[in-house]
Amino acid sequence: MTDIGTIEVVEVTTENQSLMHVVADDLFDAPVQSNLLQSYLAEETHWLVAALLDGVVIGKATAMVHRRPDKEDELYLDEIDVIPELRRKGIAKMILKKVLEMAEDWGCEECWLGTEKDNIPARKLYESNGAKPEDFVLYYLEY
């Protein structure tokens, strides 16, 4: 069993982006590309949070501050993930805590996100942090 006390959760920035050179398999949909990483991190409202174990990124979250002309900033939490063999050990909760701390420091009024109905571990994670599920319809526009 992994000691989650040895896991470090950090915000990845342009200054420490080299942390992303060693990423566990199955964490991202495809290999991290340096040019895309640099472009993503160049936007101050795009956040990447990584969980590291022995120098290897084993968990991550991507999020974006959503700015609007009529309301205060809010956070859109795009994705939290941990490699399959380390799931259900509290790592995602540590990542979420870091993201929400960053959102509070930024001044975001709320955080919104979505997950599949059958993703029970994700739903439990969010609900354990006070989230309430909403009914809504999701559309994908292809072009």
Side-chain angles (χ1 to χ4, degrees):
M1 183 170 160
T2 302
D3 177 10
I4 66 168
T6 63
I7 292 175
E8 182 182 14
V9 178
V10 299
E11 177 184 6
V12 179
T13 66
T14 55
E15 290 79 31
N16 68 359
Q17 64 185 312
S18 63
L19 293 171
M20 300 304 295
H21 289 166
V22 184
V23 177
D25 293 337
D26 298 326
L27 183 59
F28 284 87
D29 295 333
V32 174
Q33 298 177 42
S34 293
N35 62 323
L36 297 178
L37 176 63
Q38 289 173 5
S39 178
Y40 185 87
L41 296 176
E43 299 289 335
E44 72 172 334
T45 57
H46 290 184
W47 298 349
L48 174 59
V49 171
L52 296 111
L53 177 63
D54 298 327
V56 178
V57 179
I58 52 87
K60 53 98 168 143
T62 53
M64 289 160 265
V65 175
H66 185 223
R67 292 187 160 165
R68 297 162 55 156
D70 62 334
K71 296 181 181 181
E72 294 299 318
D73 293 343
E74 58 190 15
L75 189 70
Y76 167 61
L77 180 53
D78 181 49
E79 188 172 47
I80 292 182
D81 200 5
V82 174
I83 59 172
E85 59 268 26
L86 293 177
R87 290 181 183 157
R88 295 193 173 111
K89 297 185 183 303
I91 300 166
K93 191 171 192 79
M94 294 168 61
I95 295 169
L96 179 58
K97 180 178 186 260
K98 175 69 174 174
V99 170
L100 295 177
E101 287 170 354
M102 291 168 58
E104 185 175 345
D105 290 346
W106 185 275
C108 292
E109 288 196 336
E110 64 184 5
C111 174
W112 58 279
L113 54 96
T115 192
E116 294 80 10
K117 283 184 179 184
D118 64 348
N119 190 343
I120 303 305
R123 293 179 64 183
K124 285 183 178 181
L125 170 67
Y126 304 136
E127 290 173 18
S128 74
N129 278 275
K132 305 267 188 275
E134 300 275 338
D135 287 329
F136 71 96
V137 177
L138 175 67
Y139 294 95
Y140 288 98
L141 299 173
E142 296 184 24
Y143 48 94

